[in-house]
Amino acid sequence: MSADARQTSPQKSPGKPPRKTVTVRDIRARKGATPLVCLTAYSTPMARLLDPHVDLLLVGDSVGMTVYGMETTLGVTLDMMVAHGRAVTRGAQAACTVVDLPFGSYQESPEQAFRSAARVVAETGCTAVKLEGGREMAATISFLTQRGVPVLGHVGLTPQAVNQLGGFRTQGRGAAEAERVRADADAAAEAGAFALVVEGVMEPLAREITERVAVPTIGIGASASCDGQILVIDDLLGFQGEVQPRFVKRYAELGAEVERAVGIFAEDVRARRFPDERHVFAQGAK
Ligand code: KIV
């Protein structure tokens, strides 16, 4: 399906009523209403599985850590985001699809950001892009939105600034830090972001930001008062090993399940239990 067709046609799923494509206007209209359900996705099969359940699918630059084994998101490239963005829009029927602009692809100038965003939108068919930053990115957010590119903002713990922040630390602990996060949220919202990811922010501050900005806040390690919640899909499914951040709730233990299944496969192969007659093409078999 072409990107254009995806924007206008309802979801086709046998036996289920068609679901209308979620637009950025729909997302914006959810301020103070039913919480927005948002997840990351990086592949077509996962996008297909998640799409019926979520309002928004984010192709996060967390792909660098979840899929490529990087320590941070700083090594993620625009080519990687385009490839994973394409995969996800192929699998998404109705959810609003947002692709992260990676580190170095937008911070230089609004013009550089527009070139990167235009490439991402044109080559993936996504609806919007996400970029990190508040006051320093306000001019860029308004440059993009005025030229037809919807922007999802991202304030608080901004992983692309990990070296500047001194690690993946919760933001807003002292008065000065809280004031900085508050000012960033105000600036990104006023510049035209259709919603804001609020990541790794002390709960009372995330709640206060949700009350003060006019657009929906989407929390991760933030507050239950946010207008929506997002998690990294690999964290939710239990793919990331024993150590997990406090803000993650694991709804499954698929990492352990993969180990169990692969262990049985290995035993079967070594014992010549696999393949059996059902899995081979014997002479004369149909
Ligand atoms: O890259 C990502 O997955 C994100 C989410 C954690 C919000 O930015």
Side-chain angles (χ1 to χ4, degrees), residues 40 42 58 60-62 100 130 154 197 199 220 230 232:
T40 68
Y42 317 106
L58 172 68
D61 61 354
S62 51
D100 258 340
K130 176 165 82 58
H154 185 154
V197 169
E199 175 168 359
I220 173 164
I230 186 162
V232 168

Side-chain angles (χ1 to χ4, degrees), residues 42-286:
Y42 317 106
S43 70
T44 304
M46 190 57 84
R48 283 199 184 114
L49 288 170
L50 304 185
D51 183 78
H53 302 280
V54 302
D55 300 298
L56 184 149
L57 282 175
L58 172 68
V59 187
D61 61 354
S62 51
V63 68
M65 299 166 83
T66 56
V67 176
Y68 293 91
M70 297 172 173
E71 291 290 322
T72 70
T73 57
L74 298 177
V76 175
T77 65
L78 202 54
D79 285 346
M80 287 160 78
M81 295 313 300
V82 166
H84 288 278
R86 262 194 205 132
V88 167
T89 57
R90 239 173 249 141
Q93 295 283 332
C96 182
T97 50
V98 180
V99 176
D100 258 340
L101 293 184
F103 179 65
S105 74
Y106 65 95
Q107 288 91 344
E108 206 176 300
S109 65
E111 287 79 4
Q112 185 212 20
F114 184 78
R115 275 193 299 280
S116 300
R119 180 176 167 213
V120 165
V121 171
E123 295 185 23
T124 70
C126 69
T127 303
V129 299
K130 176 165 82 58
L131 56 80
E132 297 181 9
R135 287 159 295 170
E136 77 285 13
M137 281 298 139
T140 297
I141 294 172
S142 76
F143 192 87
L144 295 187
T145 53
Q146 283 167 22
R147 284 160 183 77
V149 181
V151 175
L152 176 59
H154 185 154
V155 299
L157 199 182
T158 46
Q160 292 177 15
V162 60
N163 292 327
Q164 187 69 26
L165 297 174
F168 295 103
R169 292 175 43 248
T170 306
Q171 300 295 296
R173 285 183 188 273
E177 217 176 75
E179 186 43 40
R180 182 184 63 74
V181 179
R182 212 177 274 123
D184 283 342
D186 287 347
E190 281 159 21
F194 68 90
L196 295 182
V197 169
V198 177
E199 175 168 359
V201 169
M202 298 300 285
E203 198 279 336
L205 178 60
R207 192 163 9 107
E208 184 200 325
I209 287 171
T210 299
E211 282 161 15
R212 65 190 280 135
V213 298
V215 296
T217 57
I218 301 172
I220 173 164
S223 169
S225 310
C226 288
D227 301 295
Q229 300 294 328
I230 186 162
L231 280 179
V232 168
I233 188 62
D234 296 57
D235 291 342
L236 178 155
L237 294 177
F239 271 121
Q240 295 300 336
E242 290 305 305
V243 187
Q244 67 175 36
R246 179 191 167 104
F247 59 81
V248 170
K249 180 171 175 184
R250 282 157 88 134
Y251 287 81
E253 293 297 337
L254 295 196
E257 183 59 14
V258 168
E259 277 189 20
R260 190 196 63 79
V262 173
I264 298 171
F265 168 72
E267 282 170 18
D268 279 358
V269 169
R270 291 189 185 111
R272 298 196 185 282
R273 281 192 297 268
F274 177 84
D276 66 26
E277 67 276 7
R278 289 167 301 174
H279 309 115
V280 296
F281 299 93
Q283 198 64 35
K286 288 195 183 145

